[in-house]
Amino acid sequence: MAEIVGGFGVPHNPHFPLWVADGTPVAAEIERMYAGVAGHLYEARPDVLVFFTADHYNIFFEACVPVFSIGIAESAGGASDYPDLPRREVPIATELARHVHAATVRAGFDVGMSQEFEFDHTVIAPLRFLVPVGEIPLVPVFVNALIPPLPSAVRCHALGRAIREAILAAPEPLRVAAVASGSFSLEIGGPRISADSHTGVPAPEWVDRVTGLLADGAVDRLVEEATEERLAHAGNAGGELLEWIAMLGVIDARPPAFLDVQPAYGHAYAAWPA
C-alpha cells in the first residue's frame, strides 16, 4: 500500500530561479529557504509528489474554470508562461492520478480530469529548487485560487483529506509527498501593488497570522479564519493559501519541522516530514 511521507509548502515566484542564476542580492536568501524545504523532501525519498497548484490563466482561462481538477496526462512541459525559465518536461504518475481522481469523485467532489496541458511557473519554478536533478512524477491537483468564486477553505481541506484516503488506498507501494505552491498575501497588477513593482503585499498582518498558525500546527483555526473576505483582503492572489490548506489536509495537523518567511513577498517555506 502507498504511504504519505510528508507535506511541503513553497512559493512560486517565477523570477526566483533567474535571480538565483544571476546572483542578485536576494539570491542567497532564496536558496537558503528553498534548501530548508528541499532537504526534508530529499530525506523523505518520495516516489511521487501530489502537487497542489493554481492555474494562472494559462490552462483553463476563458474556456473552462474548474474549481478542482487533476491532471492525468503522461507528462507535461513548461513553463508555458515564462519562456526565460529553462524548459522542463515533467512526468506524471498517471495511474495514481487516475486512481485519486476516481476516488475523490466517488467521495463527493466534482473534480475535473485534465488530459492535455502545460505547466506554468507555479510548478516549474519551485521544481528548480525542490527537484533540481532527476525527475519525480507528479499528480497535479489544480485548485481555483484566482478567479472568483473560490472554493471555501473548508472544502479545500476536505479535498486534501479525501486525497489522503485515496493515496492510502492505492495498491502500489509508493512513497507519496504532498506539495503546495502559493503565497499568503499577494496583489499582481492590481490597485494594491507597491510603488516600485507590479506586485504588492497588501496584508502583511495576515502573513504573520498564517505563519503563526502554521507554526502552532493550528490547522483547524487556519481553515476557520481563511474566509472568502479574508482571502480577498490579502490580494487578488490571496486565494493561493487554499493550495496550502488542501495540502495540509493530506497530512496530520502538527507544527512543521521547518518554517521560514519572506514577509516582503508575502509567502513562506515549510516542511512537515512524516
Side-chain angles (χ1 to χ4, degrees), residues 139-181:
V139 173
V141 182
F142 300 99
V143 176
N144 175 32
L146 299 175
I147 304 175
L150 306 183
S152 70
V154 170
R155 190 64 170 165
C156 290
H157 189 260
L159 175 68
R161 300 307 288 178
I163 290 175
R164 171 189 174 86
E165 295 305 313
I167 293 169
L168 295 177
E172 301 87 355
L174 298 171
R175 298 175 61 83
V176 181
V179 178
S181 157

Side-chain angles (χ1 to χ4, degrees), residues 145 150-153 156 183-187 192 202-203 206 210 222 225-242 245:
L150 306 183
S152 70
C156 290
S183 296
F184 306 155
S185 177
L186 181 64
E187 181 87 356
R192 292 178 290 170
W206 177 236
V210 171
L222 175 62
E225 293 189 16
T227 63
E228 181 179 4
E229 295 76 17
R230 179 71 263 187
L231 297 183
H233 176 71
N236 57 19
E240 291 180 350
L241 175 61
L242 296 173
I245 287 174

Side-chain angles (χ1 to χ4, degrees), residues 3-99:
E3 62 177 312
I4 296 165
V5 297
F8 306 85
V10 291
H12 55 235
N13 188 310
H15 304 292
F16 279 5
L18 304 176
W19 290 353
V20 168
D22 292 341
T24 60
V26 75
E29 178 178 276
I30 294 169
E31 288 193 291
R32 175 177 59 79
M33 292 187 178
Y34 262 116
V37 178
H40 286 287
L41 181 63
Y42 177 80
E43 291 177 358
R45 298 181 291 108
D47 300 308
V48 177
L49 304 180
V50 174
F51 205 109
F52 293 90
T53 185
D55 172 52
H56 279 43
Y57 310 98
N58 295 303
I59 302 172
F60 305 117
F61 185 51
E62 293 183 343
C64 178
V65 184
V67 174
F68 305 122
S69 188
I70 293 176
I72 63 165
E74 293 294 327
S75 65
S80 63
D81 53 348
Y82 278 83
D84 289 342
L85 289 173
R87 187 164 178 83
R88 186 168 182 171
E89 190 73 18
V90 181
I92 292 174
T94 304
E95 187 172 343
L96 180 61
R98 287 184 178 275
H99 167 80

